[in-house]
Amino acid sequence: MPGLAGRMSTVIKAKISKLLDRAEDPGETLDYGYQKQVESLQNVKKGIADVVTAKKRLQMQSQKYEQQVVKLDTQARQALSQDREDLARAALERKAVIQGELQSLDTQVKELENQQEQLTENEKKLRSKVEAFRTKKEVIKAQYSAAEAQVQISEAAHGVGEQMADVGLAIQRAEDKTEQMRARAGAVEELEAAGTFEDMTQLGEGQDDIDRELAQLGAGAQVDDELAKMKSEIGPGGGDTPALGEGGKEGA
Amino acid sequence: MIVRISGEGQFEVPDEDGERLNELDNRAVSAVESGDETGFHELWTQMLELVRSDGNALPDDELVESDVILPPRDISFEEARGEFTGAGLIPD
């Protein structure tokens, strides 16, 4: 079968062949094969544990974003109450960017959770197959001649090998996904650091590249709306709110 | 025939379905090649549904090789495209 299924089948089968390319004394191959399967099963368990760890790290990142959203909102309000609309706008632009990141991160964490469930299910399948191989290898050793055994071994080993290759692929995809998310989170952190979020008073008139970049990220209309809404909430002359500097330290 | 849905498991599917699967697969490939993402996802879902509805899941301890292996359910359009440009799901 050509096409997607064809390519997938070919690639997986090539992997299995590479895994299984050892035709020596059938008895020895059997025990060796089983030993290798048990080792692979351990690696699979470790792979799943790594995915879980990565997922937890991303969940922590998501919490951090949530805190930043709150903090930037507070800063925007403080800036507005001191008639610093420019600062308020800068804070809201950042807030919009972080909110966007937060949303995409949460979606991906959910996807990762599904993948993790599936991985656990697949690991169970692999364990069953390895166990079946263990039983079968004893039967093969006891009942078959060398030539017959070779065929039987090959069949059984391919059955396990395919499952192994498949679980391996699933783990690799999950790892790739967490890696992408981590890289993206890192990029956002760099943006923040470069924009000195902690000290909003530094931002003033001379906008830096980061500000321009943030503004270009399509947050414009949303920021305008939010700014207008905030203005109407705060009303004119709300000068009793704490100074900006203190606000910055709260969430740090 | 034995069909594996990558990440989900193996199914025993009536041989007659092979032709239908093949046809859907070919159309999915055309969709990918012409950049038709919606069409691709529709065809892809149909393929998986066919295997799921007509096929019987093999027991976990069955040691048998699949005749066909389908990429995972959540394959993205980019990944599917990669299958044809060489940078497939599984780097060689």
Side-chain angles (χ1 to χ4, degrees):
Chain A
M1 193 179 279
L4 277 174
R7 170 146 166 88
M8 185 83 186
S9 309
T10 311
V11 174
I12 290 231
K13 280 173 190 186
K15 285 219 148 188
I16 299 169
S17 297
K18 230 185 257 175
L19 271 174
L20 302 177
D21 206 9
R22 286 176 226 96
E24 301 134 31
D25 170 42
E28 198 179 296
T29 316
L30 276 174
D31 290 329
Y32 181 68
Y34 175 67
Q35 188 193 324
K36 282 278 154 204
Q37 288 168 12
V38 172
E39 279 170 26
S40 296
L41 198 51
Q42 293 305 320
N43 285 338
V44 164
K45 282 185 184 156
K46 193 184 161 296
I48 296 177
D50 287 346
V51 169
V52 174
T53 309
K55 189 194 76 187
K56 283 190 183 142
R57 219 177 292 139
L58 290 163
Q59 280 170 329
M60 277 162 65
Q61 181 71 33
S62 156
Q63 285 167 6
K64 229 169 100 186
Y65 282 171
E66 276 168 21
Q67 288 166 4
Q68 273 164 358
V69 165
V70 173
K71 181 175 148 190
L72 285 165
D73 190 86
T74 310
Q75 286 183 329
R77 279 170 200 280
Q78 287 167 345
L80 255 195
S81 66
Q82 291 175 12
D83 285 331
R84 290 297 305 271
E85 192 173 324
D86 54 337
L87 288 185
R89 181 176 290 277
L92 287 180
E93 274 165 2
R94 272 148 213 241
K95 183 182 147 189
V97 172
I98 304 272
Q99 266 174 333
E101 289 301 320
L102 181 63
Q103 224 168 26
S104 109
L105 191 61
D106 283 348
T107 311
Q108 284 171 317
V109 167
K110 241 177 239 145
E111 278 172 24
L112 207 54
E113 238 153 44
N114 291 339
Q115 279 183 333
Q116 182 197 327
E117 261 170 47
Q118 224 176 48
L119 269 177
T120 311
E121 189 58 37
N122 265 323
E123 187 248 350
K124 208 182 91 195
K125 281 196 171 76
L126 179 57
R127 216 179 325 134
S128 299
K129 285 199 199 297
V130 170
E131 185 54 31
F133 185 88
R134 190 181 69 89
T135 313
K136 187 145 191 186
K137 86 181 164 73
E138 296 310 320
V139 174
I140 292 173
K141 273 201 238 173
Q143 295 183 355
Y144 291 89
S145 72
E148 286 169 329
Q150 205 54 55
V151 176
Q152 296 278 332
I153 292 164
S154 174
E155 257 181 40
H158 275 82
V160 182
E162 186 184 303
Q163 184 70 32
M164 219 179 292
D166 196 37
V167 177
L169 165 67
I171 289 179
Q172 194 191 314
R173 289 182 87 225
E175 278 173 354
D176 286 353
K177 179 162 245 167
T178 58
E179 208 40 62
Q180 280 165 14
M181 283 191 267
R182 211 180 308 165
R184 194 165 164 167
V188 172
E189 268 176 10
E190 259 173 52
L191 262 185
E192 285 167 29
T196 57
F197 271 19
E198 294 308 315
D199 192 1
M200 297 277 297
T201 54
Q202 295 288 308
L203 277 170
E205 285 127 57
Q207 286 208 326
D208 55 20
D209 288 349
I210 308 288
D211 289 298
R212 273 191 290 276
E213 207 175 314
L214 286 171
Q216 276 168 8
L217 281 167
Q222 188 193 332
V223 169
D224 284 342
D225 289 350
E226 210 172 348
L227 200 57
K229 193 168 154 245
M230 232 176 226
K231 271 187 194 167
S232 70
E233 278 171 22
I234 289 175
D240 293 337
T241 37
L244 258 189
E246 292 170 32
K249 278 173 201 150
E250 271 170 25
Chain B
M1 67 195 280
I2 308 289
V3 178
R4 174 184 288 277
I5 300 177
S6 179
E8 294 182 32
Q10 292 173 296
F11 299 83
E12 169 121 52
V13 177
D15 285 345
E16 307 90 83
D17 283 349
E19 219 168 289
R20 174 88 182 121
L21 270 179
N22 207 357
E23 186 214 323
L24 287 169
D25 194 18
N26 285 336
R27 284 170 60 198
V29 170
S30 307
V32 169
E33 281 170 343
S34 63
D36 176 9
E37 189 167 351
T38 317
F40 164 71
H41 282 296
E42 264 167 30
L43 289 159
W44 190 240
T45 310
Q46 278 182 45
M47 279 174 87
L48 296 177
E49 278 318 303
L50 183 65
V51 174
R52 279 273 180 184
S53 61
D54 279 12
N56 290 314
L58 284 190
D60 287 356
D61 60 358
E62 183 96 28
L63 295 178
V64 53
E65 205 178 350
S66 306
D67 298 301
V68 176
I69 302 174
L70 301 182
R73 182 171 293 268
D74 65 347
I75 186 175
S76 69
F77 191 61
E78 283 67 33
E79 280 175 319
R81 213 195 315 245
E83 290 294 297
F84 299 102
T85 56
L89 273 173
I90 316 166
D92 295 316

